[in-house]
Amino acid sequence: MAALAEDHQVVQSRRLIYVYLCCSIIGLCTLVGLVVSPFGSLVTLAFHFVSAVMRGLMAIPTAVHQQWLVVAAAFSLVLLGISLFGTARVLRSSRKSEVVL
């Protein structure tokens, strides 16, 4: 039984290696396809735009010397995450007709 279990483990690990290899090849081909295709220039442009906007937003507090703005923004993001989580939980519980307190 031990030899059979060990043989099964070897076969499963070999299959897993093939799956990882295939997924890596597909991912690499997709990445190359995006970069080479005309759509790739749109993706690159969008990335640079978002990067520039984020750098600009991060420069605002230091430019006006108000670090409290960064703290307020981080606190707002935390509150947004908590409220989205709570809303999703309430919506799930309303489908099950349960009361969540």
PDB file of all heavy atoms in Angstrom, residues 60-72:
ATOM      1  N   ILE A  60       0.819  65.638  -3.560  1.00  0.00           N
ATOM      2  CA  ILE A  60      -0.007  66.737  -3.028  1.00  0.00           C
ATOM      3  C   ILE A  60       0.273  67.016  -1.557  1.00  0.00           C
ATOM      4  O   ILE A  60       0.520  68.167  -1.192  1.00  0.00           O
ATOM      5  CB  ILE A  60      -1.505  66.472  -3.278  1.00  0.00           C
ATOM      6  CG1 ILE A  60      -1.814  66.610  -4.759  1.00  0.00           C
ATOM      7  CG2 ILE A  60      -2.380  67.427  -2.469  1.00  0.00           C
ATOM      8  CD1 ILE A  60      -3.229  66.203  -5.123  1.00  0.00           C
ATOM      9  N   PRO A  61       0.238  66.017  -0.674  1.00  0.00           N
ATOM     10  CA  PRO A  61       0.450  66.335   0.749  1.00  0.00           C
ATOM     11  C   PRO A  61       1.820  66.947   1.028  1.00  0.00           C
ATOM     12  O   PRO A  61       1.920  67.857   1.851  1.00  0.00           O
ATOM     13  CB  PRO A  61       0.313  64.981   1.450  1.00  0.00           C
ATOM     14  CG  PRO A  61      -0.451  64.140   0.513  1.00  0.00           C
ATOM     15  CD  PRO A  61      -0.098  64.618  -0.852  1.00  0.00           C
ATOM     16  N   THR A  62       2.858  66.492   0.360  1.00  0.00           N
ATOM     17  CA  THR A  62       4.176  67.067   0.619  1.00  0.00           C
ATOM     18  C   THR A  62       4.308  68.445  -0.007  1.00  0.00           C
ATOM     19  O   THR A  62       5.043  69.287   0.503  1.00  0.00           O
ATOM     20  CB  THR A  62       5.286  66.147   0.084  1.00  0.00           C
ATOM     21  OG1 THR A  62       5.068  65.911  -1.305  1.00  0.00           O
ATOM     22  CG2 THR A  62       5.295  64.827   0.817  1.00  0.00           C
ATOM     23  N   ALA A  63       3.590  68.688  -1.083  1.00  0.00           N
ATOM     24  CA  ALA A  63       3.669  69.997  -1.733  1.00  0.00           C
ATOM     25  C   ALA A  63       3.003  71.071  -0.876  1.00  0.00           C
ATOM     26  O   ALA A  63       3.457  72.213  -0.843  1.00  0.00           O
ATOM     27  CB  ALA A  63       3.034  69.950  -3.109  1.00  0.00           C
ATOM     28  N   VAL A  64       1.929  70.717  -0.201  1.00  0.00           N
ATOM     29  CA  VAL A  64       1.221  71.713   0.615  1.00  0.00           C
ATOM     30  C   VAL A  64       1.546  71.570   2.099  1.00  0.00           C
ATOM     31  O   VAL A  64       0.969  72.248   2.935  1.00  0.00           O
ATOM     32  CB  VAL A  64      -0.310  71.629   0.398  1.00  0.00           C
ATOM     33  CG1 VAL A  64      -0.670  72.000  -1.011  1.00  0.00           C
ATOM     34  CG2 VAL A  64      -0.853  70.268   0.751  1.00  0.00           C
ATOM     35  N   HIS A  65       2.460  70.673   2.430  1.00  0.00           N
ATOM     36  CA  HIS A  65       2.928  70.457   3.801  1.00  0.00           C
ATOM     37  C   HIS A  65       1.786  70.112   4.745  1.00  0.00           C
ATOM     38  O   HIS A  65       1.694  70.631   5.839  1.00  0.00           O
ATOM     39  CB  HIS A  65       3.698  71.675   4.319  1.00  0.00           C
ATOM     40  CG  HIS A  65       4.870  72.024   3.492  1.00  0.00           C
ATOM     41  ND1 HIS A  65       5.973  71.218   3.407  1.00  0.00           N
ATOM     42  CD2 HIS A  65       5.114  73.072   2.672  1.00  0.00           C
ATOM     43  CE1 HIS A  65       6.847  71.758   2.596  1.00  0.00           C
ATOM     44  NE2 HIS A  65       6.354  72.892   2.118  1.00  0.00           N
ATOM     45  N   GLN A  66       0.917  69.211   4.300  1.00  0.00           N
ATOM     46  CA  GLN A  66      -0.183  68.777   5.159  1.00  0.00           C
ATOM     47  C   GLN A  66      -0.219  67.255   5.179  1.00  0.00           C
ATOM     48  O   GLN A  66      -0.900  66.623   4.387  1.00  0.00           O
ATOM     49  CB  GLN A  66      -1.500  69.356   4.667  1.00  0.00           C
ATOM     50  CG  GLN A  66      -1.525  70.867   4.758  1.00  0.00           C
ATOM     51  CD  GLN A  66      -2.869  71.438   4.364  1.00  0.00           C
ATOM     52  OE1 GLN A  66      -3.807  70.712   4.113  1.00  0.00           O
ATOM     53  NE2 GLN A  66      -2.950  72.751   4.338  1.00  0.00           N
ATOM     54  N   GLN A  67       0.522  66.683   6.109  1.00  0.00           N
ATOM     55  CA  GLN A  67       0.590  65.236   6.196  1.00  0.00           C
ATOM     56  C   GLN A  67      -0.709  64.621   6.712  1.00  0.00           C
ATOM     57  O   GLN A  67      -0.971  63.453   6.510  1.00  0.00           O
ATOM     58  CB  GLN A  67       1.743  64.802   7.110  1.00  0.00           C
ATOM     59  CG  GLN A  67       3.106  64.993   6.492  1.00  0.00           C
ATOM     60  CD  GLN A  67       3.589  66.445   6.536  1.00  0.00           C
ATOM     61  OE1 GLN A  67       3.031  67.256   7.258  1.00  0.00           O
ATOM     62  NE2 GLN A  67       4.611  66.763   5.760  1.00  0.00           N
ATOM     63  N   TRP A  68      -1.536  65.417   7.362  1.00  0.00           N
ATOM     64  CA  TRP A  68      -2.801  64.895   7.873  1.00  0.00           C
ATOM     65  C   TRP A  68      -3.694  64.430   6.730  1.00  0.00           C
ATOM     66  O   TRP A  68      -4.561  63.581   6.904  1.00  0.00           O
ATOM     67  CB  TRP A  68      -3.531  65.939   8.714  1.00  0.00           C
ATOM     68  CG  TRP A  68      -3.907  67.170   7.934  1.00  0.00           C
ATOM     69  CD1 TRP A  68      -3.180  68.310   7.796  1.00  0.00           C
ATOM     70  CD2 TRP A  68      -5.090  67.366   7.166  1.00  0.00           C
ATOM     71  NE1 TRP A  68      -3.826  69.198   6.995  1.00  0.00           N
ATOM     72  CE2 TRP A  68      -5.011  68.658   6.594  1.00  0.00           C
ATOM     73  CE3 TRP A  68      -6.214  66.592   6.902  1.00  0.00           C
ATOM     74  CZ2 TRP A  68      -6.013  69.169   5.774  1.00  0.00           C
ATOM     75  CZ3 TRP A  68      -7.207  67.114   6.097  1.00  0.00           C
ATOM     76  CH2 TRP A  68      -7.102  68.388   5.540  1.00  0.00           C
ATOM     77  N   LEU A  69      -3.460  64.981   5.533  1.00  0.00           N
ATOM     78  CA  LEU A  69      -4.250  64.584   4.375  1.00  0.00           C
ATOM     79  C   LEU A  69      -4.010  63.108   4.030  1.00  0.00           C
ATOM     80  O   LEU A  69      -4.950  62.387   3.680  1.00  0.00           O
ATOM     81  CB  LEU A  69      -3.893  65.469   3.189  1.00  0.00           C
ATOM     82  CG  LEU A  69      -4.722  65.331   1.928  1.00  0.00           C
ATOM     83  CD1 LEU A  69      -6.181  65.674   2.215  1.00  0.00           C
ATOM     84  CD2 LEU A  69      -4.187  66.233   0.847  1.00  0.00           C
ATOM     85  N   VAL A  70      -2.770  62.659   4.179  1.00  0.00           N
ATOM     86  CA  VAL A  70      -2.455  61.253   3.918  1.00  0.00           C
ATOM     87  C   VAL A  70      -3.141  60.361   4.944  1.00  0.00           C
ATOM     88  O   VAL A  70      -3.720  59.326   4.605  1.00  0.00           O
ATOM     89  CB  VAL A  70      -0.926  61.030   3.933  1.00  0.00           C
ATOM     90  CG1 VAL A  70      -0.577  59.559   3.797  1.00  0.00           C
ATOM     91  CG2 VAL A  70      -0.266  61.844   2.852  1.00  0.00           C
ATOM     92  N   VAL A  71      -3.106  60.772   6.204  1.00  0.00           N
ATOM     93  CA  VAL A  71      -3.760  59.995   7.259  1.00  0.00           C
ATOM     94  C   VAL A  71      -5.261  59.947   7.025  1.00  0.00           C
ATOM     95  O   VAL A  71      -5.894  58.892   7.159  1.00  0.00           O
ATOM     96  CB  VAL A  71      -3.428  60.588   8.645  1.00  0.00           C
ATOM     97  CG1 VAL A  71      -4.194  59.886   9.744  1.00  0.00           C
ATOM     98  CG2 VAL A  71      -1.932  60.526   8.899  1.00  0.00           C
ATOM     99  N   ALA A  72      -5.865  61.072   6.658  1.00  0.00           N
ATOM    100  CA  ALA A  72      -7.302  61.101   6.397  1.00  0.00           C
ATOM    101  C   ALA A  72      -7.664  60.221   5.208  1.00  0.00           C
ATOM    102  O   ALA A  72      -8.677  59.511   5.227  1.00  0.00           O
ATOM    103  CB  ALA A  72      -7.758  62.540   6.163  1.00  0.00           C
TER     104      ALA A  72
END
